Amino acid sequence: MKKMLKWTLAYLFIGVIVGISLIQIKKENVLYPSYEIKDSVDVLYHGEELADVDLSTYKFSGLKKGDYLELYFQVGELDMVQPMIAFLTYHCNVRAYDNGQLMYEYGWDEGEGKRMAPSGIHRIPLQNTKEHQIRICLQVLEDNPFTSIDKVEIHESSIYFKVFLRENALNVGIGVFMIALGILILLVLIAVGKIGGEYRKALWLSGFCILAGLWMECGIHMMQFYVEDLYLVSEVEYFCLYTCIIPLLMFCQETFRNKKKKKIVKICTIVSGAICAAVILQHFTGIATFASNLVKYQLMAIICVGIVFFIAVSECMGEENSERVFCQGVCILCCCVCLELVRFNVAKYLFANTEFLKFSLAYVTFLVFIIVMLHSYSMSLVEYFSEQRKKEVLERFSSLDMLTEVASRTQCNKEIEGLNAKGQKDFTVILFDLNYLKYINERFGHEAGDAYIYEFAQILKYSFEGCYLLGRMGGDEFMAVLEKEDMEKEKEYLDKVQAYTEEYNADKDKAMCISYAVGSASSTKKNPVEFWTVYDLADDRMHECKKRLKANK
């Protein structure tokens, strides 16, 4: 818990420092000529004419759909070649006049039949005159779209893009990084051709990065420099905002290991998905716009964030692993999302013209959280492949007899089940049993006995190479199973065993020479016999062989 609190406080401190730094950068933006309109603005609002309004402090309260605003101000001669007004609005139609001449219009005619009024920065060209009588008309198309007008700035149009990038460098960079990262992960998944298991988490990470990145680029209005259709940009912004919570919850569901907690997150994901689907359906059918459902979405987000937060807090107390790292990141994200919701609603409905309230935590929060997700995912991949390796080793241990490196009895039983499942009728079972193992153990020790068993196993491996099954059934007993065409080679296989044994015994002490008994039995389509019946028959013949060898000794 202490670590989690330290992480959160450290992150909040960094966020405040970054915010103050960005505000300072904006204040010191003297590289490019600009002119900001703050005071001495006449406003026509709710039928009243207000003179010399200071836009930095004035509050437009209770705006409703259909309200009409007009701003009037004068500008003297500008030392610019192509002056333009940069003017940010939310859900409004805009008209702008310079000295009585219509210079810019957006939304009045185009808005008919559109699903939602646009938001964005309007770049209004000005005439090359000594005096400018500016009149800007706004028609409000959503309830409570804003409480204040951020600022009206005049820039040199040819360098405005550079000014914008300077003021929003961090946010633009984060958005581009997240989109690029999401696309890169998606391309890797396509190249690998896997989306199951741990790879599925990468898919959700990719989706979250792309949606969150697009939302950022649209939210800071960077997308407008590439897509002039503000209606489309606004719809993409809201769509990404509403849907980015789904891959995030899916990633949480995949990461949490406790079944009950996974189930809770799954329920949250289903409910969130249903609400998002309903909002999208309402928007595209014209029942309600994205903007009008924003409060409902925020309530849903608070509930989901709260549930995930409490789950993450409970998981932060465990041992250091990918889940704990992720949960620490989730706790930081949840705290910052709550702060961001407070900041957004205070700025929108109470007072927006405070520099601190204009700085959004969301962008830096998402960047830090993406880093945490990547860290957690990389750890989970290491854990996943480590577990896979352990499973492979265990499977190898369970399938192979460790002394002889041929199939274990367990593996032999599995193969026999497979043989029966295939309905195989043609097969031969050959059983081998070493002689004198007890004598060797007693005289030379069990290590010598193990070496005796191992050497005979190697002879069998060389002799029965390519056959269906060769395994150790226990102690000094081995089994070989031949299928179909190999059945005809039974004598050839046995001759190889005999030849390799004689070769091995040629330079060995008589007491350590390999001696074995063998017995075999077969099943055919004409005379099908159950496997274990064939096995018993081969076992009987092997014991008969052992008796003959002892009798001839």
Side-chain angles (χ1 to χ4, degrees):
M1 180 63 76
K2 289 182 180 179
K3 277 190 176 182
M4 182 193 71
L5 291 174
K6 286 180 182 178
W7 278 40
T8 305
L9 291 174
Y11 170 70
L12 292 177
F13 176 75
I14 293 171
V16 170
I17 296 299
V18 171
I20 294 172
S21 301
L22 287 175
I23 292 169
Q24 193 63 29
I25 288 173
K26 292 182 179 182
K27 285 184 177 179
E28 295 175 357
N29 187 11
V30 295
L31 294 178
Y32 308 109
S34 62
Y35 184 78
E36 185 173 347
I37 309 298
K38 287 186 176 179
D39 49 13
S40 301
V41 178
D42 297 335
V43 178
L44 178 64
Y45 173 49
H46 283 170
E48 297 181 16
E49 293 186 10
L50 307 173
D52 296 330
V53 171
D54 185 350
L55 292 179
S56 64
T57 60
Y58 189 78
K59 179 181 177 181
F60 296 89
S61 59
L63 285 174
K64 299 293 181 183
K65 183 176 180 178
D67 284 353
Y68 188 80
L69 298 176
E70 288 191 11
L71 307 178
Y72 301 88
F73 55 90
Q74 295 182 2
V75 180
E77 186 173 4
L78 299 168
D79 186 21
M80 298 179 185
V81 178
Q82 294 177 314
M84 55 159 275
I85 295 175
F87 181 49
L88 174 62
T89 68
Y90 296 97
H91 308 302
C92 291
N93 291 333
V94 179
R95 277 198 185 115
Y97 299 85
D98 183 8
N99 296 326
Q101 182 177 349
L102 179 65
M103 299 299 294
Y104 180 85
E105 182 178 49
Y106 199 95
W108 296 83
D109 296 327
E110 301 95 321
E112 294 182 7
K114 296 289 185 180
R115 287 179 287 267
M116 183 176 69
S119 300
I121 298 174
H122 298 274
R123 301 192 288 272
I124 304 168
L126 296 178
Q127 298 176 339
N128 289 316
T129 58
K130 292 185 178 181
E131 296 289 332
H132 300 271
Q133 298 284 340
I134 308 297
R135 174 188 169 207
I136 298 177
C137 306
L138 303 177
Q139 184 184 27
V140 179
L141 298 176
E142 295 282 351
D143 291 338
N144 297 312
F146 56 85
T147 55
S148 64
I149 293 175
D150 185 12
K151 56 187 174 181
V152 181
E153 294 179 329
I154 300 176
H155 295 276
E156 176 65 60
S157 61
S158 61
I159 60 172
Y160 178 63
F161 183 65
K162 294 180 181 178
V163 175
F164 178 88
L165 281 181
R166 176 180 169 80
E167 292 186 346
N168 299 276
L170 177 65
N171 295 340
V172 170
I174 293 173
V176 170
F177 168 75
M178 290 182 67
I179 294 171
L181 178 63
I183 293 173
L184 178 62
I185 294 172
L186 191 60
L187 290 175
V188 170
L189 288 175
I190 292 172
V192 172
K194 295 181 179 179
I195 57 172
E198 286 296 312
Y199 295 99
R200 190 163 53 245
K201 288 172 66 176
L203 181 64
W204 303 133
L205 176 60
S206 171
F208 177 74
C209 287
I210 293 172
L211 291 172
L214 282 173
W215 171 70
M216 290 181 191
E217 295 302 307
C218 293
I220 60 177
H221 315 293
M222 178 66 184
M223 200 65 72
Q224 289 182 227
F225 291 95
Y226 304 100
V227 181
E228 294 183 357
D229 188 348
L230 296 185
Y231 294 99
L232 178 60
V233 173
S234 296
E235 285 188 331
V236 171
E237 177 187 356
Y238 275 97
F239 178 83
C240 292
L241 174 64
Y242 282 124
T243 55
C244 71
I245 193 173
I246 305 301
L248 176 59
L249 289 173
M250 292 299 294
F251 191 94
C252 291
Q253 184 183 327
E254 295 282 346
T255 302
F256 294 145
R257 298 174 184 178
N258 183 282
K259 289 184 178 180
K260 289 184 179 179
K261 293 171 183 177
K262 286 172 76 79
K263 191 174 182 179
I264 292 171
V265 177
K266 185 177 182 179
I267 292 171
C268 287
T269 306
I270 294 171
V271 172
S272 301
I275 292 173
C276 290
V279 168
I280 293 169
L281 185 63
Q282 286 181 350
H283 177 78
F284 286 101
T285 55
I287 297 173
T289 63
F290 279 142
S292 63
N293 279 311
L294 185 59
V295 174
K296 298 174 186 176
Y297 173 78
Q298 289 177 345
L299 290 173
M300 178 200 74
I302 290 173
I303 293 171
C304 290
V305 163
I307 292 172
V308 172
F309 175 77
F310 285 113
I311 293 175
V313 168
S314 66
E315 294 295 330
C316 284
M317 311 306 293
E319 63 180 20
E320 190 71 27
N321 55 30
S322 61
E323 184 180 14
R324 183 181 174 188
V325 171
F326 176 72
C327 288
Q328 290 169 343
V330 167
C331 291
I332 294 172
L333 175 70
C334 292
C335 292
C336 292
V337 165
C338 290
L339 289 173
E340 174 62 17
L341 288 173
V342 172
R343 181 208 68 81
F344 174 82
N345 286 284
V346 169
K348 181 174 181 179
Y349 298 110
L350 297 178
F351 45 94
N353 287 313
T354 302
E355 288 295 337
F356 181 73
L357 289 174
K358 290 177 184 177
F359 175 69
S360 173
L361 284 170
Y363 307 116
V364 181
T365 300
F366 279 157
L367 176 62
V368 172
F369 185 61
I370 286 297
I371 294 171
V372 171
M373 290 175 78
L374 285 171
H375 182 201
S376 168
Y377 183 59
S378 62
M379 287 182 67
S380 69
L381 279 180
V382 172
E383 292 168 4
Y384 173 75
F385 287 118
S386 176
E387 286 296 320
Q388 290 296 109
R389 178 62 181 163
K390 286 180 182 177
K391 286 181 181 178
E392 289 175 4
V393 171
L394 289 174
E395 286 177 3
R396 179 177 173 81
F397 284 168
S398 64
S399 64
L400 284 182
D401 178 70
M402 297 308 299
L403 173 62
T404 61
E405 297 180 358
V406 297
S408 65
R409 186 182 184 97
T410 302
Q411 184 64 24
C412 287
N413 289 335
K414 287 182 181 178
E415 294 293 340
I416 292 166
E417 289 176 6
L419 194 72
N420 291 332
K422 290 192 300 183
Q424 180 63 266
K425 303 299 182 183
D426 292 317
F427 60 88
T428 295
V429 176
I430 306 174
L431 297 181
F432 296 88
D433 189 84
L434 283 168
N435 299 320
Y436 314 126
L437 177 62
K438 183 179 178 182
Y439 168 77
I440 292 172
N441 283 332
E442 290 175 351
R443 181 174 177 182
F444 301 104
H446 286 280
E447 287 187 8
D450 288 344
Y452 187 67
I453 294 171
Y454 173 79
E455 294 297 342
F456 184 61
Q458 303 315 301
I459 290 173
L460 294 179
K461 281 173 67 176
Y462 291 131
S463 303
F464 286 93
E465 185 177 1
C467 77
Y468 176 75
L469 177 64
L470 174 66
R472 183 185 179 193
M473 298 303 286
D476 56 357
E477 185 176 322
F478 294 85
M479 175 181 70
V481 179
L482 308 179
E483 260 193 317
K484 296 182 180 178
E485 60 275 4
D486 284 341
M487 293 171 65
E488 299 175 359
K489 301 177 184 177
E490 179 184 350
K491 186 176 184 305
E492 181 181 332
Y493 284 123
L494 293 176
D495 288 344
K496 282 184 179 180
V497 175
Q498 183 64 30
Y500 285 134
T501 302
E502 290 174 358
E503 182 180 338
Y504 175 83
N505 290 339
D507 58 351
K508 294 293 179 183
D509 184 75
K510 186 177 180 181
M512 292 297 296
C513 287
I514 290 175
S515 173
Y516 62 87
V518 61
S520 68
S522 299
S523 169
T524 62
K525 285 184 180 180
K526 292 181 179 179
N527 186 24
V529 184
E530 196 270 338
F531 182 88
W532 291 110
T533 302
V534 176
Y535 179 90
D536 290 339
L537 181 58
D539 188 59
D540 291 341
R541 291 173 178 173
M542 179 192 69
H543 282 94
E544 289 175 5
C545 176
K546 186 177 281 285
K547 288 178 183 177
R548 287 197 301 272
L549 290 172
K550 286 183 178 181
N552 295 331
K553 185 177 178 181

